[in-house]
Amino acid sequence: MTFKVKNIRTRLTLWYVAVFTLILVVYAVLSLSLVYWSMRQDLDNELEEDYEILENIISVEKDGAISVNENVDPYFRERWIEIWDAIGKKLYESRPFTAKILPPVPDRIKKADRFTFYSQALPDGGHARFLFGKANINGRWLFVRLVKSEDQLWDDLADTARVFLLALPFSLFLAGFGGFLLTRKMLNPIDRMTEKARRISEENLQERLPVINADDELGHLACTFNQMLERIEKSFARLKQFTADAAHELRTPLTAIQSIGEVSLQENKDAAYYRNVIGSMLEENHRLTQLVDSLLFLSRADCERIKVSKEPFSLFSFIEKTVELIQPLAEEKNQTILLEGDRRLNLTADKNLLREALLNILDNAIKYSGGGTTIRVRFERIRHVTQISVTDQGPGIPVDQQEKIFERFYRVDKARSREIGGIGLGLAIARWTVRAQGGNIRVISQPEAGSTFIIELPGES
């Protein structure tokens, strides 16, 4: 069965302890290696000193015998020395440790043409450090081997290793405890953010997560969550406002239909009166149907259930046919719709969505412009952007409200909009249909100076 730690604090602590353990092990290995190298170097220096002393007290007699003046060096008996002649006959030996048996000199050492240091295990246990080489003493070639016991070296290394092993558990405990405290302190902001986020609901979306340090990673995370909460809060506010506006707009025609019906039933009138009543009820029903259709369109748009199908077409022919659809409304107010632009322009776009946007803009231009006025529709290509602009002679739009008019149910003059049949969704639909095709819609207007709505779409070069 696999053991898996789910708590981040525990995982970080274990990782910290594991890394710290690895560092301690590497440090121990390096330290022991350095101690071994240093102590072995000391043995090599001592062997060299022994050889220098030997050179000063050794001599070769006339008969070829070896003579060593041991009385010159008071510590000579503590030195381990062996001397052979050229044919391998042992000529001299000084053995301070009589119980130790020395191994023969390895062949690779014998073949060396200089003095060589080497270490070797002794047959009866223990280790020793050797210096072996060929020396010319008084004209005679002799083989000399000097020896130093490495037992003390290995004992010191063992003591050092035991110190490391004894200190390791205590060090790991301190590392684990310190790592736990460190991770708890580091993750404490996350615990606070989690607790705060758990208490945030739709009733208190105005609250934000605590930001302890805005410059570190956790601070950036908290700021990002706060920005997301701010967007959610605004979305909820828009949704509540949309729901309230939709309910109000639906209730208005329903109330009108009910009132007209109740009043007409209270008195006996002639056929002309009831015909007029039925006509009023049908007008309110038409307005209600228009509102429901607009809401359904925006609902499908929000759910991304409306597909964009682009195709190339003649821009002039498209605008001309669109104007023909709404021309009867302009004729009722004796208005003129003029088309201006290059009739050779072509455009690749979704005709149905673009027609929906253009009809909504033209409908507003007709409603808000006075009788006998002129509405201009201009189309042109500026660099790689195709522009369709609709200029009316209406009351204009204040600068501070020019961006808000594209919001759902927003109307500059709500009383007048309701009087002329506006529901406040046309420009919201127009903006969505244009943006869905990668374009943009904007307005240029001044109070009492009319408005120009500009549709910008990617055009062919």
Side-chain angles (χ1 to χ4, degrees), residues 322-338 359 361-377 390 392:
T322 303
V323 170
E324 289 177 359
L325 296 175
I326 206 167
Q327 187 69 41
L329 296 178
E331 291 175 353
E332 290 180 2
K333 299 180 67 173
N334 196 26
Q335 296 172 335
T336 302
I337 301 179
L338 297 180
L359 284 174
I361 294 175
L362 288 171
D363 182 61
N364 282 347
I366 293 171
K367 287 178 180 178
Y368 289 97
S369 296
T373 57
T374 299
I375 298 172
R376 285 181 168 81
V377 180
V390 178
D392 61 38

Side-chain angles (χ1 to χ4, degrees), residues 12-74:
L12 288 176
T13 302
L14 292 178
W15 271 105
Y16 181 78
V17 171
V19 172
F20 189 76
T21 302
L22 179 62
I23 294 175
L24 285 181
V25 170
V26 173
Y27 174 76
V29 172
L30 292 177
S31 298
L32 291 174
S33 300
L34 182 62
V35 170
Y36 172 75
W37 180 86
S38 177
M39 297 179 69
R40 195 184 66 177
Q41 189 66 34
D42 291 341
L43 287 180
D44 292 346
N45 293 335
E46 292 177 5
L47 288 173
E48 288 181 344
E49 292 177 0
D50 290 350
Y51 178 74
E52 292 176 358
I53 292 174
L54 179 63
E55 279 186 320
N56 295 326
I57 62 176
I58 189 173
S59 60
V60 179
E61 303 295 338
K62 293 181 180 180
D63 57 357
I66 296 298
S67 174
V68 177
N69 188 1
E70 299 177 358
N71 296 325
V72 175
D73 180 16

Side-chain angles (χ1 to χ4, degrees), residues 240-282:
K240 290 180 179 179
Q241 185 64 40
F242 175 77
T243 304
D245 291 340
H248 176 74
E249 294 296 334
L250 288 170
R251 184 169 56 249
T252 300
L254 290 174
T255 303
I257 293 174
Q258 183 178 359
S259 300
I260 294 171
E262 291 176 350
V263 171
S264 64
L265 289 175
Q266 291 176 359
E267 300 180 2
N268 293 324
K269 300 290 183 177
D270 56 10
Y273 173 80
Y274 286 111
R275 188 179 295 111
N276 184 45
V277 169
I278 294 173
S280 298
M281 295 177 71
L282 289 176

Side-chain angles (χ1 to χ4, degrees), residues 272-331:
Y273 173 80
Y274 286 111
R275 188 179 295 111
N276 184 45
V277 169
I278 294 173
S280 298
M281 295 177 71
L282 289 176
E283 288 181 3
E284 294 296 334
N285 181 72
H286 174 72
R287 184 171 181 273
L288 181 61
T289 302
Q290 184 183 8
L291 174 60
V292 172
D293 290 341
S294 298
L295 290 175
L296 288 175
F297 180 90
L298 290 173
S299 176
R300 293 173 59 203
D302 291 338
C303 297
E304 300 182 355
R305 294 173 58 185
I306 298 178
K307 295 183 179 180
V308 179
S309 301
K310 295 184 179 182
E311 57 178 312
F313 55 86
S314 169
L315 187 56
F316 171 76
S317 176
F318 166 78
I319 295 177
E320 186 179 39
K321 293 179 180 179
T322 303
V323 170
E324 289 177 359
L325 296 175
I326 206 167
Q327 187 69 41
L329 296 178
E331 291 175 353

